[in-house]
Structures are given as C-alpha cells and as structure tokens.
C-alpha cells in the first residue's frame, strides 16, 4: 500500500512539474511575442469595404505585397475597376491587381457610372476552402480568421479550386496554399491590417463584432451592406457598401 | 529564388489569381488511369461473377491490367503535390469534411481487394511455378504462395468462392474509387463547369468506356505479338460492352450541356463561350465528333452486323473504335479539369489555353512517362505470372493425385 502511495505521489508531482514547465514556457513565449494580454475569445473580426470611397490608387495592394512578401503575379488583395454604360455594357479590369493604379483608357461606349472594388479573402464563416482541405491545414481561428498552416499543407490546390472569390493561390516558392490573413501578426497585437492602414480615403475598415462600441460593427448593424456572391451561402465576414449588381 | 511566372493572356476579365492553372496535366492523367482501373476490373467481374464465358480468355488479363494501372495511379498525384513528402497526412490525419480525405480509405481498400483477388486467381499458378523452378526463383514464388502448396480440388473450390466474394465487393469499391474523383469536381459550388451531381456518374461511365477500350487494344496487340488467335467471340462481346458504355457516357455528357443550356442560368453565360471558343477543338472536334460520333458509327456496324463480319474487319473496327474512345475519354478529362480552370470565377473572362511544356515537372514527358509505366507494370506482371492461360499441372502430378483420390 505504502509503495502504491509513493508511486502515485511521484506521478502527481511529475505531472505537476511538467504542467508548470509547459505553462511557464508558453507564458514566456506569449510574453515574448507580445501576446500576453491577447485572448482570442474576445474578438470576432470583421472587414468593411466602402466601394464608393475607393479611388483605385493601389496603395493597399502595395502595402499588402510589402507587408506579407506576396510574390509577383499573385495577390492577397487587389482592386477591380468597373466601368458601366447603358444597355448592359460593362468593362472590368484590374491591371496587375491595380497595384500601380489604373491607366486612363478610352472605351467604345459611354460610361454612365464607375466604381473601384477592393477585393480580399472574405474569411467566410461557412468557408468552402477549409471544408475541402484534406489534411486540415486550412482552418478558422476562434477570432474568425481563415488561415493556412504552411507546415501541414500538402499543396494539393483543392482549396484554391473551392474558393469562389479567387482569393487563394499556391505559393510559387513554398508550394503551399497562401492567402490573406487579415495580417494576423498585426491584428493580434492590436494593429490594423496593412491594407487598412495604407488606404488614404478610408475605404477599408477593420473591426471587432464583439466590441459593442466598434464603429465597423455599428455601420454593419445600422446601414445597408452587402456580401459578395451571397447565393453561395459562404457567409462572408467581409462586408461591402456602395456595390453594384455587376460585382461578383 | 522566385521562379518566373508565365503570365498568360486573358480574354475579358479574370480574377488576378485565376490566371494560374493549379491543377495541371497530372490531374488530367489521374482520373484517366483510375477510369481504366475500374473499367478493366468490371470486365474481369463479368466473367468471374456474372459468368460471361465469352470473356474467359481475357478474364485474367483484365485483372492484371486493372492491377498494373492501379499501381501507377498515385504517381501523377505525388508529382503534382507541392509537398509530396507530406502525402501520407491524407491517410493518417484526414480531415473528414474534405472529399479528398476519402482518398486514403478508398484507394487502400480497393488496392487490398485487388491484391487479394490477384492472389486467389493466380494461387494455383504461383504454386506450380514454385514447384517448377529452382533456387531463388523458387523461394520467391514460394513466398508469393505464402508457403502453402494446397491445390486440392477443395482448396481450389475455396479459391473460387473467395474470388466471387472479392469481385462482388470489388465492383462497388472500384466504382467508389473512380466515382469519388468525379465527386471531387462535382461537389465544388465555386465552379459552374464542375458543379453537377452528374459528374461522378459521367466519370464512372467514361471510366468503363476507357477500361474496355484499353483491354481491346492490349488484347489484340498481345495476341498479334505472341502469334495467338484473337477470339472472335471475345472481341464481339467487348464491342457490345464498349458500345453500351460509350452510349451511356456520351448521353450523360450531352445531357449535362443540354440542361445547362436549357436552364439559361448565369453559369451558361460563361460556359457557352468557353465551349465555343477555348474548348472548341478539344470538346466539339475531339470529344464529340472524332471521339464519340465516329466510334459510335463504327461500333454500331460491328455490333449490329457482327455475324456477317470477317474476323479481320471486326477486329479492325473494334481496334479503331477503341483507340478513338481512349482519345475521347482523355479529351473529356482534359475538358473538365483544364476547361474548368480556364473559366475565371469572375464569370467574365477566360485564361488563354493552357499548353503544358514538354520538359516541365508536370509536363508532357512526365505524363507520358507515368502512362508508359503502367504498361511496364503490366509487362512485368506478365513476366512473373501467366496473364492469358492458366498453367497446366504436369501429367504425372495429375495421375498421382487421381491415384491418391481413388
């Protein structure tokens, strides 16, 4: 009996020590990364684009490429230009994702309205990309961000095919799926995504649905907003103001 | 170093990330191989389970073909993955909300069934070969026989029952393996050219077509090379099955298009120009006319006028139709896999046609190499085990066995 107690005692002590070491190490790592006060249960991120404000300058695309080292020819965010005339005439373009703005070109129809539409991953609540990932490398965090674990991704490309918004690509160097993270490394430190910071006209806004005072939350709650391709029921966390029916 | 990206031409407007072809020639090849696997297996099942005696001459050969193509089927996938070293994650840590996670279960189940069935079908031959050979060869055959040398009539009867059971499970397993590839495409709501419940059935039907077509070609070539007689009953039967499978395939393929066109949905607005411009050659000319209409007529002659045909005419009609149908099925895979990616999810534009390079990693040479490996695998199989006729027991052994029994 005595022997039994000793063994249990030893095991308990060992387990407590191991736990203490693990927790201490985790706390240390978190503190080092500046995450000590971050609790993802307190956040539910949301993005709001006001297309009527966007001037198509491309600063957001440039900021994203620099912040996230996005390879040339691929885009975590981009801007589309819509020029619409009467009789269903529509011209859409996005030269190099709009990174250098948009050249003035002459169309063969009279443009009666036009708009710029910034695009990025919609971080859907019911997202097809994480659904189809065969190894669970694509996942949604508790604060509502869709991310890719680049140590786990096998590079099959199924998520790229499944995203109806074209916001994913296979990275040409790392050969894993890559996409907008809403600058997760920034937002978890209380900063805004790079694209939001770079926008000179405030067409891009970032907020937290769990914060009752959040202006983005208030706008979504009180003003007319749309999501892209609502018929697919992906339930995006990216909302739009000032869209036109021609935008998909 | 960042590799240079070939920026393709775009007609209309495509989402900027949509201009890259994520699923290459390798993903065209994979369902092509598994389709042949399923089709060849069904022909062997028609003999083993459904007693179609006229298919006996190729019953073993069709199983060997199915096995050989199955062995190489994973190679295009491995070559395509960005991280093939992590491929086993699909098997060990699958995410079951993904259709692709079914791959591990379906592929391994079918491979196991096929392995067992091959063992039971060839068990007697393996034992006879173990007895005939000496030295290392004998040891290898003995190991293949699992060191049991029982070829008594009772044991062979048990083998036969096992084959029947395995075939009965094997048919749905083969259909699942290949149908699931169709499901991978059919269940993606993001792509209107793929998203249809018909997709798995179309894949299955065309898989049967390509499997039978491949058998016809291989059987005729093998008989010619070895100077043996091509059984006219067997060819006539294969013609009938090929005709049936091709009619089902083409009907379903047309049904899908006609439904889309008739619905006049948003998807058709994008698909219609895709079919008439980017895929005009590979879909209309190759898949529908060269690959469907011509073999339909040739096979109609071969099937309906079978009894009036000279063997050589029947064989030629059969061979040409089979070759055209192999092209048809490949074109169908191409039009689905590549066609679906030419169409941007913006529904407003297309990428210029995708033309794989000869020497690139997922290029033409790699694809041709993998495809040829299937034939190499079949050749090796045929070197180890007899794929056409079962071995005969030596007379003395037979007499001894009879003496024992009496």
């Amino acid at each position: 009996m005595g022997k039994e107690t000793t063994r249990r005692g030893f095991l308990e002590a060992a387990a407590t020590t191991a736990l203490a070491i693990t927790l201490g190490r985790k706390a240390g790592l978190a503190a080092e990364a500046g995450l000590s006060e971050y609790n993802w249960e307190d956040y539910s991120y949301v993005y709001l684009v006001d297309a009527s404000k966007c001037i198509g300058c491309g600063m957001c695309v440039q900021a994203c490429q620099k912040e996230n080292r996005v390879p040339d020819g691929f885009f975590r965010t981009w801007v589309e230009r819509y020029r619409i005339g009467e009789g269903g005439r529509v011209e859409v373009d996005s030269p190099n994702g709009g990174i250098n703005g948009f050249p003035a070109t002459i169309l063969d129809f009279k443009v009666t309205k036009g708009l710029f539409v910034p695009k990025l991953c919609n971080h859907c609540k019911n997202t097809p990309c994480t659904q189809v990932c065969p190894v669970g490398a694509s996942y949604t965090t508790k604060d509502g961000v869709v991310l890719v674990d680049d140590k786990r991704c096998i590079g099959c490309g199924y998520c790229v095919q499944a995203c109806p918004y074209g916001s994913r690509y296979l990275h040409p160097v790392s050969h894993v799926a890559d996409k907008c993270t809403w600058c997760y490394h920034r937002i978890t430190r209380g900063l805004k995504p790079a694209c939001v910071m770079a926008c000179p006209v405030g067409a891009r806004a970032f907020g937290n649905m769990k914060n009752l005072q959040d202006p983005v939350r208030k706008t979504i709650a009180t003003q007319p907003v749309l999501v892209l391709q609502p018929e697919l029921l992906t339930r995006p966390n990216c909302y739009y103001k000032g869209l036109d029916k021609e935008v998909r | 170093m960042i590799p240079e990206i070939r920026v393709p031409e775009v007609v209309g407007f495509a989402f900027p990330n949509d201009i890259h072809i994520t699923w290459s020639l390798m993903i065209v090849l994979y369902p092509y191989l598994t389709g042949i696997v399923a089709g060849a297996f069904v022909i062997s099942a028609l003999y083993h389970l459904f007693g179609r005696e006229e298919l006996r001459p190729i019953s073993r050969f069709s199983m060997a073909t199915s096995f050989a193509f199955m062995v190489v089927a994973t190679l295009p996938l491995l070559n395509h993955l960005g991280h093939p070293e992590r491929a086993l994650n699909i098997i060990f840590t699958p995410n079951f909300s993904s259709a692709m996670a079914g791959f591990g279960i379906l592929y391994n189940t079918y491979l196991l069934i096929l392995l067992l069935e091959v063992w039971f079908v060839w068990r007697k031959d393996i034992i006879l070969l173990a007895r005939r050979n000496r030295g290392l060869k004998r040891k290898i055959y003995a190991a293949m026989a699992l060191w049991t040398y029982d070829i008594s009539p009772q044991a062979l009867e048990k083998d036969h029952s096992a084959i029947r059971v395995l075939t009965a499970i094997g048919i749905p397993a083969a259909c699942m393996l290949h149908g699931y590839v169709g499901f991978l495409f059919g269940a993606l709501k993001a792509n209107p050219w793929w998203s249809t419940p018909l997709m798995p059935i179309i894949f299955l039907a065309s898989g049967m077509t390509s499997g039978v077509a491949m058998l016809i070609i291989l059987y005729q070539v093998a008989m010619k090379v070895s100077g043996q007689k091509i059984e006219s009953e067997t060819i006539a039967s294969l013609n009938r099955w090929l005709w049936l499978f091709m009619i089902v395939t083409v009907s379903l393929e047309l049904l899908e298009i006609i439904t889309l066109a008739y619905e006049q949905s948003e998807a058709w607005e994008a698909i219609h120009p895709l079919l008439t411009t980017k895929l005009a050659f590979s879909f209309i000319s190759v898949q529908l006319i060269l690959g469907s209409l011509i073999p339909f007529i040739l096979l109609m002659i071969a099937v309906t006028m079978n009894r009036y045909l000279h063997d050589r005419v029947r064989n030629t009609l059969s061979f040409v139709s089979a070759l055209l149908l192999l092209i048809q099925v490949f074109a169908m895979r191409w039009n689905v896999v590549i066609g679906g990616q030419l169409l941007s999810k913006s529904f407003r534009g297309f990428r210029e046609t995708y033309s794989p390079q000869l020497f690139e990693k997922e290029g033409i040479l790699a694809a041709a190499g993998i495809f040829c490996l299937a034939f190499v695998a079949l050749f090796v199989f045929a070197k180890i085990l007899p794929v056409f006729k079962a071995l005969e027991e030596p007379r003395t052994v037979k007499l001894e066995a009879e003496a024992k029994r009496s």
Side-chain angles (χ1 to χ4, degrees), chain A residues 73-75 78 80 119 131-134 150-156 158 160-163 166 174 232 246 248, chain B residues 13 15-17 20 23 80 82-83 86 89 93-95 97-98 184 189-190 194 266 341 345-348:
Chain A
F74 297 87
F75 300 89
W78 66 95
E80 295 168 3
K119 292 268 187 88
Q131 182 197 8
V132 302
C133 177
D150 60 2
K151 301 279 185 297
R152 199 143 186 85
C153 174
I154 59 173
C156 67
Y158 201 13
V160 179
Q161 307 291 2
C163 173
S174 62
L232 294 182
E246 297 295 343
R248 238 184 97 75
Chain B
F13 169 68
F15 289 146
N17 290 325
H20 308 285
W23 282 355
H80 169 260
H83 283 273
R86 298 177 190 164
N89 287 0
T93 53
N95 168 34
S97 72
S98 167
L184 283 187
K189 61 184 169 189
W194 290 347
E266 191 189 9
Q341 296 178 88
K345 289 163 190 163
S346 68
F347 285 15
R348 287 185 182 279

Side-chain angles (χ1 to χ4, degrees), chain B residues 2-14:
Chain B
I2 297 173
E4 202 180 320
I5 304 295
R6 276 181 290 140
V7 179
E9 287 284 310
V10 173
V11 181
F13 169 68

Side-chain angles (χ1 to χ4, degrees), chain A residues 71-76 78 80 82 90-94 96-97 119 126 128 130-136 138 149-170 172-176 229 231-234 245-248, chain B residues 1-3 5 7 12-24 27 80-102 183-192 194 266 337 340-341 344-348 361:
Chain A
D72 283 350
F74 297 87
F75 300 89
R76 287 187 178 197
W78 66 95
E80 295 168 3
Y82 287 75
V90 189
E91 176 71 26
V92 189
D93 63 348
S94 179
N96 202 12
K119 292 268 187 88
N126 185 18
T130 60
Q131 182 197 8
V132 302
C133 177
V135 294
S138 277
D149 182 348
D150 60 2
K151 301 279 185 297
R152 199 143 186 85
C153 174
I154 59 173
C156 67
Y158 201 13
C159 57
V160 179
Q161 307 291 2
C163 173
Y165 306 103
S167 42
R168 285 176 169 249
Y169 53 86
L170 280 184
V173 179
S174 62
H175 303 296
V176 293
Q229 304 186 41
E231 72 282 4
L232 294 182
L233 301 179
T234 54
K245 73 171 177 61
E246 297 295 343
V247 181
R248 238 184 97 75
Chain B
M1 203 188 89
I2 297 173
I5 304 295
V7 179
F13 169 68
F15 289 146
N17 290 325
D18 273 359
I19 59 170
H20 308 285
I21 293 283
T22 308
W23 282 355
S24 64
I27 307 300
H80 169 260
L81 284 187
H83 283 273
E85 78 282 6
R86 298 177 190 164
L88 289 179
N89 287 0
I90 288 195
I91 292 171
F92 294 124
T93 53
N95 168 34
F96 283 114
S97 72
S98 167
M100 204 181 266
F183 183 83
L184 283 187
F185 293 96
L188 276 192
K189 61 184 169 189
N191 194 322
W194 290 347
E266 191 189 9
V337 178
Q341 296 178 88
S344 169
K345 289 163 190 163
S346 68
F347 285 15
R348 287 185 182 279
K361 182 185 157 234

Side-chain angles (χ1 to χ4, degrees), chain B residues 43 205 208-210 212-213 216 235-251 291-306 317-318 321-322 325:
Chain B
I43 289 297
M208 302 299 156
T209 307
S210 62
V212 181
I216 287 176
I235 286 293
S237 171
L238 286 173
N239 283 348
R240 286 194 294 274
W241 288 109
L242 186 60
W243 198 42
L244 173 70
F245 287 137
M246 81 145 290
I247 289 172
V248 175
T249 307
V250 179
S251 306
S292 301
L293 186 64
I294 298 176
F296 172 78
I297 295 168
L298 295 182
L299 283 171
M300 186 164 66
I301 297 168
V303 171
T304 56
M305 300 170 65
N306 182 41
L317 282 173
S318 172
S321 311
L325 280 165

Side-chain angles (χ1 to χ4, degrees), chain B residues 90-91 94 96 100-112 173 176-177 180:
Chain B
I90 288 195
I91 292 171
F96 283 114
M100 204 181 266
F103 173 82
I105 299 165
L106 297 173
Y107 184 87
N108 290 325
T109 307
Y110 181 62
L111 187 63
L112 182 71
M176 290 283 282
L177 175 70
Y180 126 95

Side-chain angles (χ1 to χ4, degrees), chain A residues 101-132:
Chain A
F102 291 80
T105 49
I106 295 165
L107 299 180
D108 59 354
F109 63 91
K110 189 176 173 225
V111 178
T112 53
K113 59 179 171 181
L115 69 159
F116 293 105
V117 184
K119 292 268 187 88
L120 66 161
C121 169
N122 287 277
H123 295 270
C124 310
K125 288 189 264 302
N126 185 18
T127 175
C129 55
T130 60
Q131 182 197 8
V132 302

Side-chain angles (χ1 to χ4, degrees), chain B residues 114-221:
Chain B
L114 204 51
L115 255 177
L116 284 173
E117 189 158 352
V118 163
W119 190 72
F120 279 113
V121 168
W122 272 276
R123 208 178 64 86
K124 187 180 165 192
D125 304 70
I126 297 171
I127 292 165
L128 292 178
L129 282 163
R131 282 185 184 156
R132 277 181 205 178
N133 285 292
R134 291 280 171 272
L136 184 65
K137 257 188 165 180
R138 180 179 206 142
K139 280 185 181 147
I140 292 170
Y141 280 115
M144 280 168 68
L146 301 179
W147 299 279
T148 56
Y149 283 64
D150 187 358
I151 47 170
S152 62
Q154 295 88 337
L156 292 179
E157 190 46 47
K158 277 192 182 149
D159 284 356
H160 196 65
S161 314
I163 291 166
R164 287 173 64 87
V165 172
L166 285 167
T167 313
I169 320 168
I171 294 176
C175 292
M176 290 283 282
L177 175 70
H178 187 57
Y180 126 95
V181 184
F183 183 83
L184 283 187
F185 293 96
L188 276 192
K189 61 184 169 189
N191 194 322
W193 181 226
W194 290 347
S195 174
T196 160
L198 278 183
M199 200 56 90
I201 312 173
I202 295 178
F203 265 70
L204 262 180
S206 58
M208 302 299 156
T209 307
S210 62
V212 181
M214 183 56 85
L215 281 179
I216 287 176
I217 288 175
L218 286 175
Y219 175 58
Q220 292 207 23
V221 170

